[in-house]
Amino acid sequence: MPHSDLDELAMLALGDVPPPSVAAHVLDCTECAAELADLRRVLDVGRSAAEPLELVEPPPEVWSGICAELGLSSQGADSPTLDEDSPAYGSRPSSQEDVSIVADGKAGGDGSRRRRWRSALALAAAAALLGAAAGSGLTWWAVDRQEPSTVAGTSRALDPLLPSALGSARMGDAAGQRKLDVKVKGLPKTTGYFEVWLMDRSHKKLISMGVLGSDGHAVLPVPDNVDLVEYPIVDVSVQEFNGSPEHSGNSVVRGAFAST
Amino acid sequence: MSWGGPRVLATSLYGVPTTDEDIAKGFALGDEACLAAAYRRWGSLVYSAASRALGDSEEAKDVAQQVFIGAWRGRAGFRPERGTLPGWLMGITRFKIADALDQRSRRRRDLEAVSAAKAEDTLVAEATPNAIVDQLLVRECLADLSDAQRQVLEMTFFDDLTQMQIAERTGLPLGTVKTHARRGLIALKRKMEEVDGAAQ
Ligand SMILES: [Zn+2]
């Protein structure tokens, strides 16, 4: 079945009644459901912005610092004054309007379909998809477990949640793919296994990354659509072999990973 | 648009970009004038997000600097055809704000023995930066829509009006209001998309 038109999904998001086939398709199609969820989140963010936040100009040393760091001597002497129109809420010159009309014309077309909105707001959908995959019994990461190489760079120490545990983690590229390199020493004895998670700062949203090897080391692929801004914390838990895809609540180490 | 007088007018003869799309294209190609133009155009957006999220102008200056330095050095990861430059910059801003907050809590850990309760405190306090970035970004992107779309969406978002009420207030036919709302919402989503690599 063809995917729903973005225009029809927008109707749904705005509470209009689209053709019945659209509502039915969204129930079956994760891609269109994710598009719809993104549109609804744009609506939510829009409503949350009712009180405008005032824009503040950065002090001039910000620009001179940028030029100094990047070695842009030509620009350094010629510090740009901030555009008077740049406050987001001001009116725009007509050239901008032309641009947005062109963009609007394209927006419903196929070109925009595959673009994912990568802000924190898109993550609930991404997490839901990953969670669904993880709960299906055959986890997506299981397909790609090769001998752990390592991610080059320095790891950051994780906070021990058990007195014996010493953990560290870093995120970086290995063999052209984004990977999370986790090591934990002083693991407790268990009849189960140790699972690696990425979580948000509130510890409420979790994505399972895979299982720690028996040597306490794992290099796990991290899908590109996981936003590390939203999931900056790595956590290692003790899990029982009870078939539950949920975090057991018993963590060994937790903390921010180093980015290499 | 005010470009700051004759000095900038002179540079524009050499092709200084005048639209957001030109700035984005030139930025991706490594044109230094476009870095300056991007800073002029979105510097206050980035700085305001950092300053509100961090509540400290010194750290905000540092973050704003890092955002533009990081964006410039990582410009190979920015694809104008896949997302807007402000969306990309704000993605990097999120990342740098999170970094600054991490460093702050590490400094605090170094200074004092941290109880579990204190650690929870910081985690709660850190939940808002993304909302601040989102609110600034959505305003920025709204301003970029056509007048009609912006007006309809602002009435939808901020005045919480139904499409029927908007039609009554504006005198536009209901069908037109619906079209503006749909197209505007789709365009807004597109503008807010942050391309791959924003979090590098
Ligand atoms: Zn579909």
Side-chain angles (χ1 to χ4, degrees):
Chain A
M1 178 160 25
H3 285 305
S4 302
D5 193 63
L6 207 46
D7 218 44
E8 294 168 335
L9 294 175
M11 286 173 87
L12 261 181
L14 288 161
D16 273 341
V17 183
S21 61
V22 177
H25 175 79
V26 168
L27 288 176
D28 280 342
C29 173
T30 49
E31 197 182 322
C32 289
E35 290 283 358
L36 176 62
D38 282 354
L39 287 167
R40 288 197 165 130
R41 277 181 216 107
V42 174
L43 269 170
D44 288 344
V45 171
R47 293 201 167 105
S48 78
E51 289 295 318
L53 301 176
E54 212 170 298
L55 291 187
V56 194
E57 279 195 15
E61 61 263 35
V62 173
W63 177 246
S64 45
I66 293 167
C67 291
E69 177 69 25
L70 295 174
L72 305 180
S73 51
S74 59
Q75 301 291 330
D78 196 21
S79 148
T81 37
L82 287 180
D83 180 355
E84 306 249 308
D85 284 338
S86 79
Y89 327 135
S91 59
R92 282 303 176 57
S94 56
S95 59
Q96 304 293 331
E97 311 263 1
D98 296 343
V99 169
S100 70
I101 287 163
V102 172
D104 291 351
K106 280 189 268 184
D110 198 52
S112 64
R113 292 297 318 230
R114 260 165 279 287
R115 253 184 250 116
R116 307 290 314 133
W117 185 27
R118 302 299 305 275
S119 87
L121 298 167
L123 274 155
L129 289 173
L130 290 170
S136 70
L138 179 72
T139 50
W140 55 266
W141 43 261
V143 185
D144 193 23
R145 291 297 306 281
Q146 286 160 1
E147 272 313 290
S149 47
T150 50
V151 174
T154 314
S155 289
R156 181 177 292 176
L158 304 175
D159 295 331
L161 301 176
L162 286 177
S164 68
L166 260 182
S168 63
R170 61 181 179 264
M171 184 80 68
D173 279 331
Q177 200 188 3
R178 189 163 75 175
K179 296 207 168 141
L180 177 64
D181 190 329
V182 190
K183 274 185 193 147
V184 187
K185 284 179 190 159
L187 287 166
K189 285 199 169 31
T190 176
T191 53
Y193 61 99
F194 299 99
E195 190 162 4
V196 180
W197 308 80
L198 285 181
M199 44 173 76
D200 71 344
R201 291 171 187 284
S202 68
H203 303 173
K204 291 199 179 94
K205 289 196 284 180
L206 299 172
I207 308 174
S208 170
M209 285 294 122
V211 176
L212 205 60
S214 52
D215 58 350
H217 182 210
V219 179
L220 303 164
V222 178
D224 285 337
N225 58 351
V226 175
D227 185 344
L228 300 182
V229 177
E230 185 67 2
Y231 289 86
I233 310 285
V234 62
D235 175 282
V236 178
S237 66
V238 194
Q239 299 284 129
E240 292 303 325
F241 283 114
N242 56 9
S244 165
E246 308 279 2
H247 191 288
S248 64
N250 298 316
S251 293
V252 182
V253 290
R254 184 184 297 160
F257 48 80
S259 301
T260 60
Chain B
M1 190 187 293
S2 154
W3 285 92
R7 170 172 56 76
V8 188
L9 188 62
T11 41
S12 76
L13 294 175
Y14 299 98
V16 162
T18 50
T19 71
D20 290 359
E21 292 200 337
D22 286 343
I23 296 173
K25 274 182 206 150
F27 190 98
L29 292 171
D31 180 348
E32 286 176 12
C34 290
L35 170 61
Y39 180 80
R40 193 160 42 215
R41 177 77 182 77
W42 297 294
S44 49
L45 184 66
V46 168
Y47 177 74
S48 303
S51 143
R52 279 191 176 263
L54 296 165
D56 178 303
S57 60
E58 283 306 311
E59 282 177 291
K61 284 195 284 190
D62 198 42
V63 162
Q65 243 170 42
Q66 288 175 32
V67 167
F68 281 93
I69 290 166
W72 184 246
R73 289 194 172 139
R75 61 187 179 272
F78 169 65
R79 311 246 179 76
E81 72 277 11
R82 300 201 52 200
T84 62
L85 190 50
W88 194 64
L89 289 170
M90 290 308 259
I92 300 173
T93 305
R94 285 181 210 279
F95 195 67
K96 298 293 183 191
I97 288 172
D99 251 13
L101 289 170
D102 272 354
Q103 282 170 23
R104 199 188 272 181
S105 55
R106 244 178 299 140
R107 276 199 303 274
R108 202 175 308 162
R109 261 203 306 264
D110 290 346
L111 287 173
E112 48 185 276
V114 183
S115 70
K118 273 181 188 156
E120 282 308 311
D121 270 2
T122 36
L123 289 167
V124 172
E126 287 167 17
T128 43
N130 272 326
I132 290 167
V133 172
D134 286 330
Q135 286 169 24
L136 283 165
L137 186 60
V138 79
R139 286 280 188 163
E140 161 72 23
C141 295
L142 261 178
D144 227 14
L145 299 179
S146 72
D147 282 342
Q149 291 178 356
R150 180 175 63 238
Q151 195 187 2
V152 167
L153 283 185
E154 283 179 352
M155 291 172 108
T156 308
F157 293 160
F158 308 148
D159 304 328
D160 206 21
L161 297 180
T162 64
Q163 297 185 330
M164 184 65 90
Q165 288 167 325
I166 294 171
E168 280 163 12
R169 270 200 209 184
T170 57
L172 291 170
L174 182 60
T176 309
V177 169
K178 285 178 185 292
T179 305
H180 285 322
R182 275 200 315 269
R183 296 275 160 80
L185 185 64
I186 291 166
L188 199 57
K189 171 179 168 292
R190 196 192 72 83
K191 286 174 189 300
M192 291 185 71
E193 280 165 343
E194 294 169 10
V195 287
D196 287 342
Q200 297 304 307

